């Protein structure tokens, strides 16, 4: 990952482009609304159609740029090779599900936003001026997830809640009522998605714990597992589209999910939410790590 230091710069799968680099950019397209996969159904006996669910196709970002190294054709060739190497990276190209990133820092945004996908095209448009250190190039990046994501991955670590914490108060209730936490905001489990779209978290549990149950208070979505995680075991849950799995020590453990546990619906909504979890652990040492990136409609 390249380090973006100023506005208008682009990190193209690890190659820094834009101001202050040998890669001046003339045009970027594909930053608007992605192409829609409409599910409309034609009305068999009438004019028109019935509108179905609309899905977004992968977002294709095209960058028209150049390689500018005045009087240094070797540096121009090296710069072109860096782009070719990013496109040909075997660790990504030959691994199903592996992703690259495209990051952009737009003026006034404060921090970069990024897309996940694959480099699909690196083309030297003309080599006629390469001897003078100038090579125009066209680049394409196909974002398999059309949403924009925050540059920084956020994380919080949460201890087990008591099983009775989710049950509310038991009558008779005597004033004053307290929760045992002087400042509720200090209670572990609060997560903030600063974007305008729900985001899918990554979850990791370090044992020992039996039958963990994780839920998001604001949405009511739950992940309930009938599973024993030993002291030396690690359970990893990924909820992002295209990479949804449950692994215990690297082996599939999705069979442990209850019927009500939907990885595709387990999302952190915009704003501040609370993630809680329960399970049987008599050592008080098990922890749940929640990682996420803010999700946005637009750059």
């Amino acid at each position: 990952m390249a380090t973006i230091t100023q506005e208008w710069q682009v990190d193209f799968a690890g190659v820094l482009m834009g101001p202050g680099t040998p890669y001046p950019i003339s045009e970027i397209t594909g930053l608007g609304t992605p192409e829609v996969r409409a599910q409309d159904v034609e009305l068999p006996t009438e004019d028109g159609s019935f509108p179905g669910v609309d899905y977004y196709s992968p977002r294709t970002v095209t960058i028209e740029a150049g390689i500018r190294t005045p009087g240094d054709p070797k540096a121009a060739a090296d710069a072109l090779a860096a782009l070719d190497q990013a496109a040909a990276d075997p660790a990504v190209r030959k691994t199903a599900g592996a992703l690259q990133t495209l990051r952009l820092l737009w003026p006034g945004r404060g921090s970069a936003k990024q897309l996940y996908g694959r480099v699909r095209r690196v083309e030297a448009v003309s080599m006629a001026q390469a001897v003078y250190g100038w090579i125009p190039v066209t680049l394409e990046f196909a974002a398999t997830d059309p949403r924009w994501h925050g540059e920084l991955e956020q994380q919080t670590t949460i201890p087990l809640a008591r099983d009775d914490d989710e049950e509310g108060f038991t009558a008779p209730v005597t004033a004053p009522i307290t929760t045992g936490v002087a400042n509720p905001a200090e209670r572990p489990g609060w997560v903030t998605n600063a974007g305008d779209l729900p985001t899918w978290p990554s979850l990791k549990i370090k044992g020992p714990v039996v039958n963990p149950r994780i839920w998001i208070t604001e949405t009511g979505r739950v992940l309930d597992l009938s599973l024993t995680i030993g002291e030396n075991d690690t359970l990893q849950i990924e909820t992002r589209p295209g990479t949804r799995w449950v692994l215990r020590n690297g082996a599939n453990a999705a069979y442990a999910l209850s019927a009500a546990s939907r990885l595709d619906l387990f999302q952190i909504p915009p704003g501040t939410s609370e993630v809680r979890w329960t399970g049987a652990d008599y050592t008080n040492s098990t922890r749940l790590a929640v990682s996420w990136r803010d999700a946005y409609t637009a750059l």
Side-chain angles (χ1 to χ4, degrees):
M1 179 181 293
T3 301
I4 293 179
T5 59
Q6 55 183 296
E7 295 176 343
W8 301 109
Q9 286 186 336
V10 176
D11 173 6
F12 183 79
V15 178
L16 188 63
M17 307 180 68
T21 76
Y23 305 94
I25 297 172
S26 61
E27 183 67 88
I28 302 178
T29 59
L31 304 182
T33 303
E35 184 178 345
V36 173
R37 291 187 287 119
Q39 306 295 307
D40 297 350
V41 179
E42 293 185 0
L43 300 176
T45 59
E46 298 181 53
D47 297 334
S49 62
F50 178 82
V53 178
D54 290 343
Y55 295 102
Y56 283 141
S57 297
R59 179 195 297 272
T60 299
V61 177
T62 302
I63 302 175
E64 300 293 343
I67 296 172
R68 183 174 59 195
T69 58
D72 193 343
K74 179 182 182 303
D78 290 343
L80 178 59
L83 293 172
D84 289 335
Q85 289 164 3
D89 183 0
V92 176
R93 186 168 55 88
K94 296 187 176 181
T95 303
L99 297 172
Q100 295 167 300
T101 58
L102 177 70
R103 301 164 55 235
L104 301 92
L105 178 56
W106 240 230
R109 295 303 190 188
S111 62
K113 292 188 177 70
Q114 64 187 33
L115 296 169
Y116 294 102
R118 292 278 185 96
V119 174
R120 291 305 186 204
R121 183 185 180 196
V122 173
E123 180 181 349
V125 178
S126 172
M127 297 297 289
Q129 303 297 317
V131 67
Y132 304 112
W134 170 254
I135 304 174
V137 294
T138 298
L139 312 174
E140 286 186 0
F141 186 92
T144 53
D145 182 353
R147 299 168 183 81
W148 292 93
H149 298 271
E151 179 182 22
L152 299 177
E153 182 180 67
Q154 303 182 71
Q155 185 178 93
T156 187
T157 301
I158 310 170
L160 278 173
R162 300 192 311 271
D163 286 324
D164 58 354
D165 281 353
E166 59 176 311
E167 301 299 332
F169 298 104
T170 302
V173 177
T174 304
I177 303 172
T178 64
T179 63
V181 181
N183 180 2
E186 295 177 357
R187 184 168 64 185
W190 294 107
V191 297
T192 299
N193 171 14
D196 61 345
L197 289 176
T199 185
W200 282 279
S202 298
L203 310 170
K204 183 176 180 180
I205 297 176
K206 181 67 173 67
V209 66
V210 177
N211 298 337
R213 183 174 187 269
I214 310 165
W215 71 94
I216 298 176
T217 302
E218 282 67 22
T219 65
R221 294 296 177 183
V222 63
L223 298 180
D224 205 349
L225 298 105
S226 298
L227 191 68
T228 298
I229 305 171
E231 184 175 357
N232 298 317
D233 294 339
T234 299
L235 183 75
Q236 294 176 288
I237 303 174
E238 183 57 69
T239 64
R240 286 189 298 130
T243 56
R244 292 188 175 116
W245 36 252
V246 180
L247 301 176
R248 179 174 59 180
N249 300 333
N252 178 44
Y255 60 85
L257 287 170
S258 68
S261 301
R262 294 280 301 272
L263 294 179
D264 60 324
L265 298 178
F266 196 83
Q267 298 173 281
I268 298 174
T272 299
S273 309
E274 186 178 21
V275 178
R276 309 199 72 194
W277 77 301
T278 58
D281 168 34
Y282 300 102
T283 68
N284 197 31
S285 62
T286 188
R287 294 293 184 270
L288 167 67
V290 183
S291 304
W292 74 97
R293 294 181 189 271
D294 303 333
Y296 301 85
T297 304
L299 178 63

